């Protein structure tokens, strides 16, 4: 039996195709008291580099979904979230993305992983920048409509 690893800890069994591996991913909408959203500019990650994104990443083996979201906020943005509110689950072709919302947190937002991020900043939530990764726009749309599940293929 193959053991899970840190990047792809979960397995799906597909009939007549054996086992496939897919990542569970977490992202968090972090808001300040002025209702601005924290975004980080991706760098040298191999995925959507140059775009603004939410703090987030892959769930590690033995880690709960919410613990992974908290860890990623601390690692990437030096923010310790107090309470996370589950917002939306968005399965995509090769994995599943769990998006949370945090309005209470401690710390000063700063780049925690300079090898993966070139900029960090607070942006008005009512007008997201044009260069934000597309799933963030979709998450905001679903949040507004109070839809918690969406199979992302946009």
């Amino acid at each position: 039996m193959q053991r899970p690893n840190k990047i792809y800890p979960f397995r799906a069994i597909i009939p007549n195709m054996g086992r496939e591996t897919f990542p569970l991913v977490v992202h968090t909408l972090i808001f300040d008291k002025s209702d601005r959203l924290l975004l980080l500019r991706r760098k040298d990650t191999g995925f959507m580099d140059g775009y603004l994104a939410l703090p987030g990443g892959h769930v590690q083996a033995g880690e709960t979904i919410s613990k992974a979201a908290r860890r990623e906020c601390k690692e990437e943005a030096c923010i310790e979230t107090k309470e996370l509110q589950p917002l939306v689950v968005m399965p995509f072709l090769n994995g599943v993305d769990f998006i949370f919302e945090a309005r209470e947190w401690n710390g000063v937002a700063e780049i925690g992983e300079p090898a993966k991020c070139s900029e960090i900043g607070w942006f008005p939530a009512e007008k997201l920048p044009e260069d934000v990764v597309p799933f963030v726009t979709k998450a905001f749309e679903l949040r507004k409509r109070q839809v918690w599940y969406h199979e992302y293929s946009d």
Side-chain angles (χ1 to χ4, degrees), residues 90-137:
M90 286 198 295
F92 55 97
L93 184 60
N94 297 315
V96 180
D97 200 349
F98 294 84
I99 300 177
F100 292 88
E101 182 173 327
R103 291 194 171 269
E104 293 187 34
W105 45 270
N106 292 320
V108 175
E110 57 188 13
I111 297 172
E113 295 180 320
K116 297 179 182 178
C117 175
S118 63
E119 175 187 352
I120 190 169
W122 296 98
F123 296 84
E126 66 276 358
K127 184 165 179 8
L128 294 174
E130 288 186 22
D131 59 347
V132 71
V133 293
F135 75 84
V136 174
T137 305

Side-chain angles (χ1 to χ4, degrees), residues 28 70 80-85 101-105:
T28 304
R70 284 186 171 83
E80 290 188 42
T81 57
K82 290 185 179 181
E83 185 177 327
L84 289 175
Q85 179 68 38
E101 182 173 327
R103 291 194 171 269
E104 293 187 34
W105 45 270

Side-chain angles (χ1 to χ4, degrees), residues 15-30:
N16 303 319
M17 294 187 70
R19 294 177 185 244
E20 286 292 320
T21 301
F22 59 91
L24 295 183
V25 183
V26 294
H27 287 97
T28 304
L29 300 165
I30 301 174

Side-chain angles (χ1 to χ4, degrees), residues 27-39 54-55 66 69-74 77-88 98-107 109 122 125 140 143:
H27 287 97
T28 304
L29 300 165
I30 301 174
F31 294 95
D32 69 3
K33 295 201 184 309
S34 300
D35 204 36
R36 295 178 303 169
L37 178 67
L38 183 66
L39 295 171
L54 303 170
S66 60
R70 284 186 171 83
R71 175 184 51 76
E72 290 289 350
C73 290
K74 187 168 183 172
C78 303
I79 295 289
E80 290 188 42
T81 57
K82 290 185 179 181
E83 185 177 327
L84 289 175
Q85 179 68 38
L87 187 62
V88 64
F98 294 84
I99 300 177
F100 292 88
E101 182 173 327
R103 291 194 171 269
E104 293 187 34
W105 45 270
N106 292 320
W122 296 98
F140 260 83
R143 176 179 177 259

